[in-house]
Amino acid sequence: RGTASVGTPVYIRYRAAGATLTDNIYSNSFANSNGSTAVAGAARSDQYGLFPAMYATYPSNIVLNLFNPQVTDYTTYTIQGQYPISATDNGFAMLSGSNKVTTSIDGFQITTAAAPTLTLTYTVYGFRSA
């Protein structure tokens, strides 16, 4: 759950051994905004993986799943996000991404390309193989 000081694109970046990685993350999204924006898609291939946008007044609600972290493999992610844009417009996004190299990822960063302040409340859960 998060807001930004101003409406802004948000990105995920992988971290390993205390450093933010600059390797490319291949990512894509499928988004729908009920109101003024039609269904749209986007893709990136740089160190900023796509993440749902955040706005100042209405909190975005996001579920992020990371697959294959902390092993030397291709770490991937999937996201489902709901982001209210205004009192009359609401967005929904499905996103995914994968790093281009086999790296042991031990963290991630949620960031913007500009300087707005993000305010996040989050809980980290782990999945266990039975």
Side-chain angles (χ1 to χ4, degrees):
R1 184 173 169 89
T3 58
S5 57
V6 296
T8 187
V10 180
Y11 305 98
I12 183 171
R13 296 177 73 189
Y14 290 142
R15 294 179 54 83
T20 301
L21 301 180
T22 59
D23 295 333
N24 284 355
I25 297 174
Y26 297 126
S27 61
N28 55 63
S29 74
F30 173 77
N32 182 20
S33 176
N34 298 331
S36 61
T37 306
V39 175
R44 286 185 79 105
S45 179
D46 60 17
Q47 60 185 309
Y48 296 94
L50 291 166
F51 200 84
M54 291 189 189
Y55 296 88
T57 304
Y58 306 98
S60 296
N61 295 287
I62 297 154
V63 175
L64 163 66
N65 290 297
L66 289 168
F67 302 94
N68 297 317
Q70 296 190 318
V71 295
T72 304
D73 200 347
Y74 297 99
T75 298
T76 61
Y77 70 87
T78 61
I79 295 174
Q80 290 182 339
Q82 175 269 340
Y83 51 99
I85 298 166
S86 69
T88 59
D89 197 7
N90 182 64
F92 175 76
M94 295 178 4
L95 305 98
S96 68
S98 177
N99 57 330
K100 71 169 192 162
V101 296
T102 55
T103 305
S104 180
I105 304 299
D106 60 16
F108 61 91
Q109 174 188 60
I110 306 301
T111 189
T112 66
T117 301
L118 297 178
T119 303
L120 304 172
T121 302
Y122 60 92
T123 304
V124 177
Y125 296 98
F127 295 99
R128 173 177 83 88
S129 294

